[in-house]
Amino acid sequence: MEDYLQKLNPEQRNAVTHSTGPLMVIAGAGSGKTRVLTYRIVHLLKSGVSPHNILSLTFTNKASKEMRNRIELMVGESDARSIWMGTFHSVFSKILRFEAEKLNYPSNFTIYDTDDSKSLVRSIIKELNLDKDIYKVGMIRNRISSLKNNFITPAGYNNKSELNQQDKIAKRTEFGRIYQMYVQRCEKASAMDFDDLLLKTYQLLENHPDVLLKYQEKFKYLLIDEYQDTNHVQYLIIKKLAALNENICIVGDDAQSIYAFRGANIQNILNFKVDYPNYKTYKLEQNYRSTSTIVEAANSIIKQNEKQIEKNVWTSNTKGDKIIVVKTGSDNDEGRLVANTISDVQMRNQAHHKDFAILYRTNAQSRSLEESLRKRNIPYKIYGGLSFYQRKEIKDLLAYYRLAINPNDEEAFKRIINYPTRGIGSTTIQRLNVFANKHNKTIWEIINHLEEAEININKGTQKKLKEFALMINNFIINSKQKDANAIAEEIAKQTGLFNNLYTDKSPEGVSRFENIQELLNGIKDFSETAEQGVNKLSDFMEDVALLTDQDKETEDDFNKVTLMTVHAAKGLEFPYVFVVGLEENLFPSMMSGESQENLEEERRLFYVAITRAKERLFLSFASTRFKWGQLTDCQPSRFISELDDKFLEKHELTPKTKEYASHKIYAKTKYKKKTYSPPTKKFVTPKNLTNINRAKNISINESDLSKIQNGMQVKHSRFGEGKVLSISGEGSNRKATVFFNGVGQKDLLLKFAKLELKN
């Protein structure tokens, strides 16, 4: 037997050595599917199949690169590089360039990315003089994408009365026209968007039988990874290419089909046996990743689904610790508990930051988690997305807050002068900028004295600029009189930003609105828990400025805690996994209640979350959570009750027991089997949480900044303990240069730093 075959278990070996005909490999979580795909290609090559006759399709460049590198080590660079291997889009674009003239495209056609597509949609909407609040760019672009992925052309759309009726009800009667113009403009520009790469490939194979036969004869063996994630067009293309030889091998797991929102159709894998009646199936059921407790718990949840291919995932790994389930008082409590737990587990188990992942259902949930991690000085990265405070909608609103504090902040000014749209165009902004630079003034000074400025701006635009200046001046006055929460809500609403996002019901729009709500929730929490006299908007913005400081010179970017949505976590694994926000209408999501099909997808999503964990799994939910500016009572997710109790260890942090001493709950090692007994110490509220053990420290008030001198040991709420290297400035402008352990050197303005002296 070949050496590589000896590294496989019996089922893996059967899948690898299967000779010809349709083959379905159902690969449970952590069962080694990448190895099977890789070794099957190697086996084909060693059996005499030409690398030019193999087509391997994946969903990520990372997956294809990993497979190709493994193959190269086993068979050599020449054969490995000759295989047609890559993502659907990369492989199909290669075919389209070869056959472009048959589609009346040049071979050097441009591929439009998402931003290009949105820009084109925006231009068409503007050209047609349509209402931007009804014809939102993101929504229109997503609808076009969805139609293409369901193989519906503009002509097909016009012939479907149901689709036309939907848009008529939504007052988008011009959508068909936009779609038609979008397609025509792409063709005129010799451009294809990502969806075209699929649609045009199908049209090529459908309308040109000679081309279809050419590629059917070329690709004698097809291998498709993550088959459960294929959409309708991908399915049709694969079926056409495999029709001649039927040497098609699909690998996937119906239990991990979680991308219906972007067109994936679980029926593609469930109906494989219908498409290929003489198929052979092998089930990879041995999990090499997780403890038996995690594996069996995952089985107990997924068995609740009706639509599935029966399998029994098992492992020979150790039993491991029970899954911890904790009820917390609020989402902020949950964030603090997770951060404390990570810190405790690291100390007890000598774990690295990179060993931890925090998974949530929506991006908006990251806010309280990020703040808690920062305050514990735990480095983290947002996987597959931006940090909460770096998201566009958050930066837009923060720009308004910055102007309310400092109206001469020109970067903030340029960002939001015409957002939401108020009829102040780029030409006007450019003229203001040139005039301001010429006279050594800020743009804010210019628009506050437009009558005195000799600048070529029409009266209509001047009126809009004056209205904008009046609004900002009101914000400036009110920000000094009202607390952070009151003025923050006022600005969000009066600028129109709040309503603009609220009316956008596209998936992206809903997500952006949720993020704004989460920011406002954070400000409300800040106002309610801040000390007297430091609850103004300027205080919050100072706090944010510290929280978003990413200047950590001594840290390795690779070694950070990972935060991500469960969708983004698919395919990854971590020793320690936290799944947070397990509440009804959050996970499962509110929209899952619309049908059994949606609920089953949410359950598969939870299954994916569970199976990311290798050693320890922590689940948590809050009894209250801020939603839409209101404190809302929450119910635990039904998924918790669907897990078999014998795999769980449940805890409740109540006002009488809560100390956030997470090591007594989460950080038990495998040697500590005693059940946790809640402590009876005094409850520590979120307001004074960061003051735990501060009785040993001496607080420094702004009126007594002179206490801090060179060489002193100090403590900062975020950066931890450090030593003062130097002092500069006088009075309220007094600054300290401090070296913090594990963080590095920081320059701090003492009146804001809130340093404490260590005894």
Side-chain angles (χ1 to χ4, degrees), residues 619-635:
L619 311 177
S620 61
F621 63 96
S623 56
T624 60
R625 184 178 295 271
F626 270 112
K627 292 182 180 179
W628 320 120
Q630 300 293 322
L631 190 64
T632 306
D633 291 333
C634 303
Q635 297 299 317

Side-chain angles (χ1 to χ4, degrees), residues 716-730:
H716 186 274
S717 61
R718 178 188 171 201
F719 302 130
E721 296 182 2
K723 181 179 181 180
V724 179
L725 300 180
S726 65
I727 296 289
S728 62
E730 298 294 336

Side-chain angles (χ1 to χ4, degrees), residues 6-17:
Q6 294 179 6
K7 300 177 182 178
L8 305 171
N9 66 36
E11 281 297 291
Q12 290 176 329
R13 192 180 306 123
N14 288 336
V16 166
T17 58

